[in-house]
Amino acid sequence: MTALRRLMWASTSLPCERKRYLALWHTHQGLSALQIQALGLLSAARVYSTIRLYQRGGLDALKERVHPGRQSRLTPEILADVREQLESGERTWNSRTLSEYIAQKHGVTIGRTALRDQLRAAGMSWQRTRYVVAGQADPKQKVAFRNDLEVVKKGR
């Protein structure tokens, strides 16, 4: 019980784990599942499942497990190809055109938002494109433009 007491108040315990430890502690103190539910810790069904977990695997079974979720549709090979396409700079990409490219070349359909999230997780980010004038303008043309602009402002 000292290990349980230590885990209940450990700063490394997650809130969901702490509730399980407290529910188990209260059951050892003689409270029923409904009384524990009245305390606001867990529902009665969760108290029963916590007790079953403890009986099967001890205190380690009460720790929060990793929830991996769905595996990404973008394999490392697809991500490498996308990175290569983006770094080549041959064309300007947006989420729609990149999603269409992946569907055509690799046969994997992925939504624009999911694609953005996957690329961000892979270390890539979106940047806005903007038009830049190549080279410097002729100083004589700059002066002529300013003079014309002054004429337009004065209304002549």
Side-chain angles (χ1 to χ4, degrees):
M1 291 319 288
T2 58
L4 178 60
R5 184 177 292 166
R6 207 173 325 112
L7 286 171
M8 276 191 312
W9 303 113
S11 61
T12 56
S13 294
L14 297 172
C16 57
E17 293 174 353
R18 189 170 293 126
K19 286 181 181 181
R20 292 181 200 134
Y21 298 142
L22 283 169
L24 185 63
W25 174 262
H26 286 301
T27 57
H28 282 301
Q29 299 301 317
L31 271 66
S32 69
L34 291 175
Q35 290 170 326
I36 295 171
Q37 180 178 349
L39 292 174
L41 289 177
L42 297 171
S43 67
R46 291 277 185 204
V47 172
Y48 290 128
S49 66
T50 300
I51 293 169
R52 269 186 261 120
L53 278 173
Y54 174 70
Q55 289 171 344
R56 289 182 189 153
L59 290 175
D60 288 336
L62 299 180
K63 291 189 176 179
E64 184 67 13
R65 295 179 307 276
V66 175
H67 305 284
R70 179 190 275 184
Q71 188 174 4
S72 171
R73 291 180 181 173
L74 298 181
T75 62
E77 294 81 21
I78 295 174
L79 284 173
D81 179 40
V82 167
R83 185 181 299 274
E84 182 180 312
Q85 289 296 321
L86 294 175
E87 289 176 352
S88 70
E90 292 177 9
R91 62 182 278 195
T92 303
W93 296 95
N94 61 27
S95 60
R96 179 175 288 129
T97 57
L98 195 56
S99 176
E100 291 170 358
Y101 169 78
I102 292 171
Q104 288 174 356
K105 179 145 187 204
H106 300 285
V108 175
T109 57
I110 186 168
R112 296 169 63 185
T113 305
L115 175 63
R116 186 196 66 205
D117 293 342
Q118 292 294 320
L119 293 179
R120 187 174 301 273
M124 294 180 252
S125 65
W126 296 109
Q127 297 177 356
R128 288 192 184 271
T129 57
R130 58 186 172 132
Y131 296 108
V132 178
V133 177
Q136 292 292 323
D138 184 25
K140 292 178 184 175
Q141 288 179 342
K142 280 184 179 181
V143 172
F145 177 78
R146 285 191 188 129
N147 292 337
D148 290 342
L149 187 61
E150 290 299 322
V151 169
V152 170
K153 284 182 182 178
K154 291 179 182 175
R156 294 183 188 158

